[in-house]
Amino acid sequence: MTTLPPDQDIVFKGYDPEISRRLFAFLGPYRWRFSLAMVLMLISSAAAVAGPYLVKVAIDDGIGTGSIAILRQVVIFYLAIAIIQWIATFIRVNLMAQVGQSIIYDLRSQLFIHLQDLSLSFYSHYSVGRVITRVINDVGVLREFITWALLAVARDLFALIGIVIVMLSMNLRLSLITFTVIPIMIWGTTVFKKYARQNYRQVRAAISWVNSVLAENINGVRVVQAFSREDTNYHYFRDVVNQNNLDANLRAARIASAFPAMIDFLGAAATALVVWLGGMAVIRSVPGAADTITPGVLVAFLLYISRFFDPIRDLSRRYDSFQSTMAGSERIFALLDEPVEVQDAPEAVQLPKIEGEVHFEEVSFHYQDIDPTEGDQLVLEEINLHIKPGQTVALVGETGAGKSTLIKLIARFHDPTDGQILIDGHDLRHVSQISLRSQMGIVLQDPFLFNGTVAENIRFGHLEASDEEVSAAAQAVGADDFIQRLSKGYDSPVEEGGAVLSVGQRQLISFARALLADPRILILDEATSSVDTQTERVIQEALARLLHGRTSFVIAHRLSTVVNADIILVVHDGRIIEEGNHSELLALGGRYFHLYSSGFED
Amino acid sequence: MRSLLRLRSFVQPYWKQVSLAFIALTFLTLISLAIPLIIRQVIDQGLVESDARLLITAAIILLVIGIARAFLIYWQRYLTERIAAQVGFDLRNRLYDHIQRLTFTYHDHAETGQLISRTIEDVRSIERFTGNGIVELIHLLLLFFGIVILLFSANARLAIIALLPMIPLVLVTSNFGRKIGDYFLKVDNSLGELSTRIQENVLGVQVVRAFAREPYEVERFNTANRILYNARISVIGEWSKIMPTSHLLVVLSTILILWFGGNLVIAGEMTIGGIVAFNSYLLMLAEPARQLTWLVNMAGEAVAGVNRTFEILDIEPEIQSPADAVTLPQLSGRVQFQEVALAYQGEASHALCEIDLTVEPNQVVALIGSTGSGKTSLVNLIPRFYDVNRGALLVDGIDVRDVNLESLRKQIGIVLQTSLLFSSSISENISFGRSDTTEFEIIEAAKAAQAHEFIESFPAGYDTIVGERGVTLSGGQRQRVAIARALLLDPRILILDDSTSSVDMQTEQLIQKALWELMQGRTTFVIAHRLSTVHRADLILVMENGQIVERGTHRELIAGDGLYREICDLQLRDREKFHEEVRVLDSPAATTYPSPKPQGWEAE
């Protein structure tokens, strides 16, 4: 199996001010806390910079002159500063935790709400894995950055500027000697950045490949075991996919190790220079002359040199994190920018309790964002329909004829490209989606159940339903029997893998769910395909009760489900080519007749 | 923290690299300790005694030390990263293999999102710790003891004073370490919960929309989101206490030294250079103290990671080939169920009980029965996806628990209820079960499964990539590829689990015809709802509540008065009705044809 490495979603193109602007917009509600944290950061940075200077004062003015009084003052002052720094840091970290986590909370929440608005066609080309990566991992990278890096970058910059100012004011000559290593450092950093960026991409691509191969193997584990593919798959994973990840990490490790070594060496070189040139200056200096270098100054300088290189090393390390943050944000905003296909109109009204009359007027539809690899896309053409309240409508036709699209338009999963759909005379585009769908029940071919208990899944259709109502719904569709036999009855968990429930049983539960919702309009999309003949009979009897007094649309491969409908629509290539009840259509001797007869030919 | 010891066996293979990294670090530490000594010489002799040559020598030595340090830093870092990457590599391999060998019983209850996050994220936090963490921890200890010795040799009294703040530091840090592991576990678990919420919401998007439950879903998501928020805040809350405190304690040492040491110098008992050197040693403790907090934090994350990954690795796959497994020869295909009972984990009632059945080679067995009656459970026992709770299952007279699993499963072809394909080319999907196939065989299998035609209609033909970033196949197309995949094995035993339910009627008939040919000369188990598939079988089993309630051929069973007869009646009724309707149409009276209501509806 040569599962291909996944494409990179978006490759980081460089710094984009638009992204920073949008990120800062999320900071908005917390700007006061953020500013306060910034001030506290300044205070603790100042305190950190003051440390070596105080040591210098203590040595030169206190110990050097033998003045215990001055030494005491300096020591008390240092202690006070240390305590201020302690308090400032404590408050700052907590503030930033709140700011950072709140932003992350808001961002995830906003992403999730947006996901609720995106069209179904979005989900056909955006996999679950990618959605999770966006909402969990990419936002996670952002969290690290906001909580730790954002202020650290500010601190490093302040520290660097502060140290440079102190050094310059203490002694110009020694400062200039120290700064001679900077050009080499800039060159080294530029080279490092280039490689680091490449490595970052490769490492990211490698791990997401591991991720997708793993995910596929877990999802397909039953097939893997059925075909005894464990060894082959293991070797492929170990020798290709995971090895690629190892190699990428090792390459990255070489560069990542060389950089701090270089910075450290430059620090050592600067120290050696200061000891040599600075030391000579101390020896030669005439007391009282301008630009004197005292031993205290030299000691302080040596201390500052190490502090001068720390923020530089830090900043270049942050570059990595900065880069992944920008790349992650770009992907997050791309998802937030995905257009919402179906939106409530600003003046949308609540759809009042409906009778269930459905009107299609010259409705045409084609998908807007066609995935070129998906081949033919369905198009509905000039559909005219008038369904009276309480009628049962069956849709038949080949796979891909447009049956599902038609019912998706009724539920307003998509808006028609042309024409309009009216329910009880209300154009769907003028009513709120919630008020529309809360009066609709839909049972799909793939009976999706959520993690939770059986009862919770049935109750999904009507959150306020009592236990009695839940079991009444289950009884009505013939699901009560098997549910009672489960070890915990209605409280049995429904699990992702779920050998405990068969596909047919899941379908029955989804029926109960729809029944409990007590919809005015009911849509069944091949809902009985995995149910055996006996169960289907049970359901059909239940359905007969369920359909009574409701407008309903039924898609089925099995014509036995269809024959009783008030209206049968034969859909072919996006058009309704035959319309009428069972006997009318049979008499027509057209496509329906053929479909119906082929169902019983062996 | 004890759980970290479990990583031993994963770190052991790299002991050479670990020792090299330690050696590099030891040297690094030793030469770093020399720097303050040199500075002290510079101040006391070079500056105070104006010894220019000493200054130059010192500068050169510092530079040489700088070069040596650069090399050592590089090697030490690279080696630790390498150890980390290799441990992660091995751990991921182990997890991957272990997960794919865990039994169906495990996967029935497992959540995909959790398994993935353990293999990716939890291994990553273990990696971080095994590389940097272990080596740095030793480094810190070395450094700490080195500095302590130096401090004591320089001035024992000052050393005691300077080290006083270290006592609370150690206490505070170990307390932090104890708490942080639990907090991280909470964070990891709530992240897992958040992923599950998203996964469900996306997979169930149509249901959520259909029932207009978006507000409910948002509320549930935000509840999980809020739990994660709180877990994170409590981690950082701990962190915000420890980080400034450890810094304060180190600064406190410096202040103590300045005060007491300064007094000593003024009293003439110490030199200024002595104080400066003493203080530089102390400052060397500042960084380790800060790192210690990081390390403990990292260890906390790793502990959570180890607990979560070993939770998986500790599960023994219940179904494995026994040590003295028999490798099955080419099977003739006799399958016997002897008093078999099966109950799923956590379920009180039996999924199967009292199954007694002998299927002769090359027989076609059809299973019918209502949803949940045990048909799938029965066929799942043949490739030993589950073990029986009672009784035995024999293939060619050998208990499946005694045979080599691969030699058994390689001779069984299965088409599951939901046909899952992998995101690779169609031809690779078809040859999934065999590595030694020719293109010709693949095409033959595809033709037999009625898949050749639609595959050829794709521009890339058999090289078309299916799945997430390739062509999306319809349910019927996927099913036909899955059938081809099973056929290519040329299996002795063929299992077809409801393989044609999501195919429209015309396609179904095509597949049925092909399948019928393929069943010849193999022992076949077929689960189907349609009588057209069932009635030709050599043996029909009617199942109900996990038991075989009727068995026999179509002719025998239809003659009886059981469930099978009832099902047949139900299905045949439709067919008869059709013929009747066609007859009516043919007759001249068809114009006044009444609308017939079938029996099922008359009750209404």
Side-chain angles (χ1 to χ4, degrees):
Chain A
M1 182 173 43
T2 53
T3 309
L4 304 169
D7 308 334
Q8 285 280 33
D9 267 328
I10 298 169
V11 185
F12 177 61
K13 294 183 215 79
Y15 176 71
D16 183 350
E18 177 63 15
I19 291 179
S20 318
R21 197 189 58 70
R22 294 181 70 175
L23 279 178
F24 271 102
F26 276 93
L27 196 60
Y30 314 104
R31 58 181 176 278
W32 295 115
R33 272 183 270 179
F34 179 73
S35 313
L36 183 54
M38 201 77 157
V39 171
L40 291 170
M41 171 64 95
L42 273 176
I43 291 172
S44 45
S45 298
V49 174
Y53 182 75
L54 289 173
V55 173
K56 179 218 156 226
V57 173
I59 290 174
D60 280 357
D61 299 353
I63 304 172
T65 60
S67 164
I68 290 187
I70 293 177
L71 181 62
R72 183 186 296 129
Q73 277 173 17
V74 174
V75 164
I76 290 172
F77 189 61
Y78 199 176
L79 190 64
I81 283 184
I83 290 173
I84 289 173
Q85 191 181 1
W86 179 55
I87 296 170
T89 311
F90 175 76
I91 299 175
R92 186 216 354 134
V93 172
N94 276 302
L95 280 176
M96 277 319 282
Q98 285 171 20
V99 172
Q101 298 308 322
S102 302
I103 291 176
I104 294 315
Y105 177 91
D106 295 347
L107 202 51
R108 286 208 170 111
S109 189
Q110 198 168 325
L111 276 169
F112 192 79
I113 290 171
H114 189 65
L115 286 172
Q116 307 310 306
D117 292 336
L118 287 172
S119 70
L120 294 182
S121 23
F122 165 81
Y123 289 98
S124 67
H125 65 84
Y126 215 93
S127 72
V128 197
R130 275 169 84 201
V131 175
I132 291 181
T133 310
R134 285 305 86 79
V135 185
I136 303 288
N137 303 36
D138 287 337
V139 178
V141 172
L142 204 60
R143 178 190 67 81
E144 300 256 337
F145 185 76
I146 295 173
T147 315
W148 301 114
L150 195 56
L151 280 193
V153 168
R155 180 194 58 206
D156 287 338
L157 285 175
F158 285 136
L160 203 58
I161 293 167
I163 288 166
V164 168
I165 290 172
V166 173
M167 283 168 98
L168 284 173
S169 66
M170 244 178 0
N171 191 291
L172 185 65
R173 202 150 31 122
L174 286 182
S175 310
L176 293 179
I177 293 172
T178 311
F179 299 155
T180 50
V181 297
I182 288 182
I184 309 174
M185 200 166 62
I186 290 175
W187 169 79
T189 310
T190 319
V191 174
F192 167 74
K193 272 196 318 203
K194 202 183 91 195
Y195 283 110
R197 194 154 137 184
Q198 258 174 25
N199 287 332
Y200 167 73
R201 271 189 214 156
Q202 287 169 354
V203 166
R204 215 191 108 86
I207 194 72
S208 69
W209 192 20
V210 169
N211 199 333
S212 59
V213 169
L214 181 71
E216 188 162 46
N217 210 49
I218 295 173
N219 286 327
V221 69
R222 289 171 177 80
V223 179
V224 170
Q225 293 192 5
F227 287 84
S228 299
R229 273 282 292 223
E230 294 95 330
D231 289 339
T232 319
N233 284 6
Y234 175 62
H235 287 128
Y236 176 69
F237 178 77
R238 190 189 62 191
D239 300 337
V240 181
V241 182
N242 206 10
Q243 185 68 43
N244 174 58
N245 183 43
L246 179 63
D247 293 343
N249 274 292
L250 289 183
R251 266 198 304 277
R254 278 184 197 282
I255 303 298
S257 315
F259 187 71
M262 182 195 81
I263 296 285
D264 192 83
F265 170 71
L266 291 178
T271 310
L273 277 176
V274 168
V275 164
W276 176 38
L277 297 174
M280 296 305 261
V282 173
I283 293 172
R284 292 199 194 114
S285 68
V286 185
D291 197 22
T292 337
I293 302 178
T294 62
V297 168
L298 194 69
V299 170
F301 236 91
L302 290 175
L303 288 177
Y304 278 121
I305 288 177
S306 67
R307 293 193 178 211
F308 174 68
F309 284 95
D310 281 347
I312 292 177
R313 189 166 37 204
D314 246 35
L315 278 175
S316 42
R317 226 185 23 220
R318 306 264 180 228
Y319 182 78
D320 248 19
S321 140
F322 176 71
Q323 177 153 305
S324 41
T325 304
M326 290 311 268
S329 311
E330 208 172 325
R331 288 189 293 267
I332 292 168
F333 287 127
L335 178 53
L336 277 178
D337 291 344
E338 281 283 340
V340 175
E341 195 188 321
V342 178
Q343 236 167 343
D344 279 351
E347 68 281 3
V349 294
Q350 295 288 316
L351 184 65
K353 190 154 173 47
I354 54 170
E355 288 297 314
E357 182 198 44
V358 180
H359 228 112
F360 274 60
E361 286 178 0
E362 294 287 326
V363 170
S364 294
F365 177 77
H366 66 82
Y367 287 98
Q368 264 147 13
D369 44 347
I370 293 171
D371 188 341
T373 55
E374 269 187 46
D376 304 41
Q377 282 296 326
L378 298 172
V379 180
L380 288 181
E381 274 183 70
E382 292 166 32
I383 306 285
N384 281 299
L385 267 182
H386 186 197
I387 310 298
K388 296 193 195 79
Q391 279 190 323
T392 298
V393 182
L395 294 102
V396 297
E398 284 154 14
T399 312
K403 307 182 298 271
S404 292
T405 308
L406 202 144
I407 59 168
K408 277 180 185 159
L409 292 183
I410 300 171
R412 207 182 164 215
F413 285 151
H414 304 287
D415 277 334
T417 320
D418 275 309
Q420 56 175 346
I421 300 169
L422 307 166
I423 289 186
D424 279 19
H426 298 271
D427 188 321
L428 291 189
R429 282 170 293 204
H430 299 152
V431 301
S432 80
Q433 295 173 64
I434 295 261
S435 66
L436 168 69
R437 295 198 194 120
S438 57
Q439 302 192 50
M440 252 176 208
I442 305 177
V443 183
L444 298 154
Q445 184 176 16
D446 176 28
F448 187 85
L449 299 184
F450 295 90
N451 274 316
T453 64
V454 171
E456 278 166 2
N457 268 289
I458 298 176
R459 198 171 275 132
F460 196 81
H462 179 57
L463 297 177
E464 296 80 27
S466 67
D467 289 349
E468 290 71 35
E469 288 173 292
V470 169
S471 66
Q475 271 163 16
V477 298
D480 184 62
D481 263 6
F482 81 81
I483 295 174
Q484 297 284 10
R485 280 205 306 274
L486 297 172
S487 58
K488 291 187 192 137
Y490 281 87
D491 294 326
S492 305
V494 174
E495 277 150 336
E496 194 187 303
V500 176
L501 294 178
S502 71
V503 179
Q505 289 172 331
R506 286 165 176 259
Q507 223 150 24
L508 290 180
I509 292 176
S510 74
F511 266 108
R513 177 162 70 190
L515 178 59
L516 192 61
D518 189 21
R520 294 299 310 143
I521 297 177
L522 186 68
I523 293 174
L524 307 175
D525 187 354
E526 298 190 24
T528 55
S529 68
S530 303
V531 180
D532 59 279
T533 316
Q534 284 163 283
T535 316
E536 197 183 338
R537 287 289 155 172
V538 176
I539 293 177
Q540 283 204 345
E541 278 160 33
L543 278 184
R545 277 191 292 278
L546 179 57
L547 298 183
H548 183 73
R550 302 177 210 277
T551 311
S552 45
F553 294 84
V554 182
I555 296 181
H557 282 319
R558 298 199 193 159
L559 295 175
S560 56
T561 342
V562 171
V563 293
N564 317 298
D566 300 307
I567 301 176
I568 297 168
L569 305 174
V570 181
V571 186
H572 183 68
D573 279 348
R575 290 171 175 275
I576 296 173
I577 54 167
E578 287 171 28
E579 184 177 346
N581 66 27
H582 178 69
S583 40
E584 288 163 7
L585 290 186
L586 270 190
L588 208 62
R591 191 159 201 95
Y592 181 76
F593 178 84
H594 283 291
L595 281 171
Y596 188 61
S597 46
S598 70
F600 298 106
E601 274 169 11
D602 266 6
Chain B
M1 288 288 160
R2 186 162 301 130
S3 40
L4 286 178
L5 287 177
R6 304 203 55 182
L7 291 174
R8 259 180 323 191
S9 62
F10 283 92
V11 182
Q12 236 156 27
Y14 307 108
W15 68 272
K16 275 187 190 160
Q17 290 175 36
V18 175
S19 350
L20 272 179
F22 282 156
I23 292 169
L25 251 183
T26 314
F27 273 106
L28 192 62
T29 309
L30 286 177
I31 59 173
S32 308
L33 290 176
I35 295 173
L37 287 176
I38 296 164
I39 303 265
R40 178 183 159 175
Q41 285 291 313
V42 167
I43 293 168
D44 287 352
Q45 278 183 28
L47 298 187
V48 179
E49 291 169 26
S50 298
D51 186 341
R53 275 189 51 198
L54 185 129
L55 284 181
I56 295 169
T57 321
I60 292 171
I61 294 175
L62 282 174
L63 201 64
V64 172
I65 288 180
I67 294 170
R69 265 179 67 97
F71 274 104
L72 290 170
I73 287 177
Y74 173 78
W75 276 109
Q76 177 262 323
R77 289 227 173 192
Y78 178 66
L79 284 171
T80 50
E81 293 281 334
R82 203 183 147 98
I83 296 162
Q86 283 166 327
V87 168
F89 175 77
D90 294 343
L91 203 50
R92 287 205 177 92
N93 284 340
R94 265 281 292 279
L95 277 165
Y96 179 92
D97 202 33
H98 194 78
I99 290 171
Q100 71 170 353
R101 285 174 205 277
L102 285 172
T103 36
F104 279 34
T105 311
Y106 178 81
H107 286 285
D108 289 342
H109 299 274
E111 286 171 28
T112 315
Q114 286 284 355
L115 292 179
I116 293 173
S117 93
R118 284 167 206 223
T119 314
I120 304 290
E121 297 303 328
D122 288 320
V123 171
R124 187 174 289 161
S125 56
I126 293 172
E127 263 180 352
R128 269 199 292 263
F129 178 75
T130 47
N132 251 327
I134 294 179
V135 177
E136 287 283 334
L137 207 60
I138 304 286
H139 174 56
L140 285 189
L141 289 177
L142 271 177
L143 197 66
F144 187 76
F145 285 112
I147 293 169
V148 168
I149 289 168
L150 277 172
L151 287 177
F152 271 92
S153 64
N155 189 317
R157 209 153 27 124
L158 273 190
I160 291 172
I161 293 169
L163 291 176
L164 277 179
M166 298 299 147
I167 298 167
L169 182 69
V170 170
L171 290 178
V172 172
T173 309
S174 67
N175 183 40
F176 171 70
R178 263 198 302 278
K179 282 193 204 160
I180 203 75
D182 291 343
Y183 284 131
F184 272 118
L185 201 62
K186 223 178 266 172
V187 168
D188 287 347
N189 289 339
S190 29
L191 261 178
E193 171 67 16
L194 208 59
S195 314
T196 309
R197 289 266 73 80
I198 300 168
Q199 175 152 355
E200 275 202 353
N201 185 264
V202 173
L203 292 178
V205 60
Q206 302 210 22
V207 178
V208 173
R209 301 287 166 87
F211 288 92
R213 283 290 168 265
E214 292 96 332
Y216 172 68
E217 285 289 292
V218 169
E219 192 190 304
R220 290 218 296 172
F221 178 82
N222 276 343
T223 308
N225 202 2
R226 179 61 59 184
I227 292 170
L228 177 64
Y229 173 92
N230 289 332
R232 283 275 182 212
I233 290 285
S234 49
V235 166
I236 303 181
E238 280 305 307
W239 180 253
S240 75
K241 282 184 241 162
I242 180 89
M243 190 179 71
T245 306
S246 62
H247 185 79
L248 177 73
L249 290 170
V250 173
V251 172
L252 211 58
S253 284
T254 302
I255 292 174
L256 287 173
I257 289 313
L258 275 181
W259 175 246
F260 289 102
N263 274 305
L264 286 177
V265 174
I266 292 169
E269 290 174 37
M270 243 186 126
T271 61
I272 291 187
I275 287 275
V276 171
F278 200 91
N279 193 47
S280 347
Y281 289 136
L282 264 185
L283 282 183
M284 294 179 85
L285 278 181
E287 189 54 27
R290 209 176 69 180
Q291 276 184 6
L292 187 66
T293 329
W294 269 119
L295 273 179
V296 172
N297 193 49
M298 218 191 263
E301 264 190 288
V303 167
V306 169
N307 287 338
R308 281 161 57 90
T309 43
F310 277 87
E311 201 177 286
I312 299 175
L313 290 178
D314 285 345
I315 301 165
E316 270 296 298
E318 289 159 33
I319 294 177
Q320 296 182 52
S321 302
D324 51 351
V326 182
T327 302
L328 285 178
Q330 166 91 350
L331 290 173
S332 66
R334 174 178 291 105
V335 179
Q336 288 163 278
F337 288 75
Q338 296 179 338
E339 296 282 337
V340 165
L342 172 75
Y344 289 117
Q345 204 179 47
E347 282 301 306
S349 60
H350 277 94
L352 291 174
C353 58
E354 293 169 38
I355 304 290
D356 251 311
L357 173 69
T358 302
V359 178
E360 295 302 330
N362 304 340
Q363 276 195 327
V364 174
V365 182
L367 294 100
I368 61 168
S370 65
T371 265
S373 61
K375 305 179 299 271
T376 303
S377 298
L378 191 142
V379 295
N380 272 344
L381 290 177
I382 304 169
R384 204 181 161 210
F385 289 148
Y386 298 89
D387 267 339
V388 299
N389 295 74
R390 210 160 3 106
L393 177 78
L394 312 181
V395 174
D396 276 15
I398 309 171
D399 192 318
V400 289
R401 284 169 295 196
D402 297 332
V403 307
N404 176 288
L405 272 183
E406 190 174 339
S407 70
L408 171 69
R409 291 180 184 168
K410 281 273 178 197
Q411 301 194 54
I412 301 176
I414 306 173
V415 181
L416 295 169
Q417 201 165 22
T418 42
S419 39
L420 189 130
L421 301 183
F422 293 86
S423 52
S424 50
S425 73
I426 290 180
S427 77
E428 276 168 313
N429 266 294
I430 295 177
S431 62
F432 189 74
R434 276 175 61 190
S435 43
D436 57 333
T437 45
T438 63
E439 206 187 317
F440 178 76
E441 288 175 293
I442 292 172
I443 294 175
E444 283 306 299
K447 278 181 179 162
Q450 303 291 330
H452 180 70
E453 209 169 301
F454 80 79
I455 295 172
E456 284 287 283
S457 75
F458 295 129
Y462 281 83
D463 295 328
T464 306
I465 304 290
V466 294
E468 210 168 276
R469 284 186 168 78
V471 168
T472 317
L473 300 183
S474 74
Q477 290 172 332
R478 277 208 307 272
Q479 218 140 27
R480 279 176 273 169
V481 174
I483 291 171
R485 173 170 73 188
L487 293 177
L488 192 69
L489 283 181
D490 190 18
R492 292 300 311 136
I493 300 174
L494 188 64
I495 297 173
L496 306 168
D497 187 355
D498 198 14
S499 319
T500 54
S501 67
S502 59
V503 178
D504 60 57
M505 229 165 285
Q506 277 117 324
T507 320
E508 183 182 336
Q509 277 162 13
L510 277 177
I511 299 176
Q512 291 294 348
K513 250 170 228 167
L515 282 179
W516 191 250
E517 297 300 315
L518 294 156
M519 290 177 196
Q520 307 310 312
R522 309 175 205 278
T523 309
T524 305
F525 292 82
V526 54
I527 298 177
H529 296 149
R530 325 223 71 224
L531 281 182
S532 53
T533 324
V534 170
H535 81 273
R536 282 193 288 194
D538 299 312
L539 178 64
I540 296 167
L541 304 175
V542 183
M543 300 202 59
E544 201 174 324
N545 292 335
Q547 283 175 301
I548 300 173
V549 290
E550 283 170 46
R551 63 177 86 195
T553 61
H554 176 74
R555 204 178 287 259
E556 288 160 15
L557 291 179
I558 202 82
D561 192 21
L563 206 53
Y564 185 79
R565 172 75 188 273
E566 205 178 300
I567 296 169
C568 280
D569 285 351
L570 286 174
Q571 290 203 7
L572 289 176
R573 201 145 53 198
D574 289 338
R575 191 171 169 178
E576 278 157 16
K577 187 159 67 68
F578 165 70
H579 288 303
E580 185 186 316
E581 280 163 359
V582 174
R583 265 200 308 280
V584 172
L585 281 176
D586 288 342
S587 72
T591 38
T592 54
Y593 168 75
S595 169
K597 286 271 177 189
Q599 283 100 327
W601 289 71
E602 280 166 2
E604 222 230 303

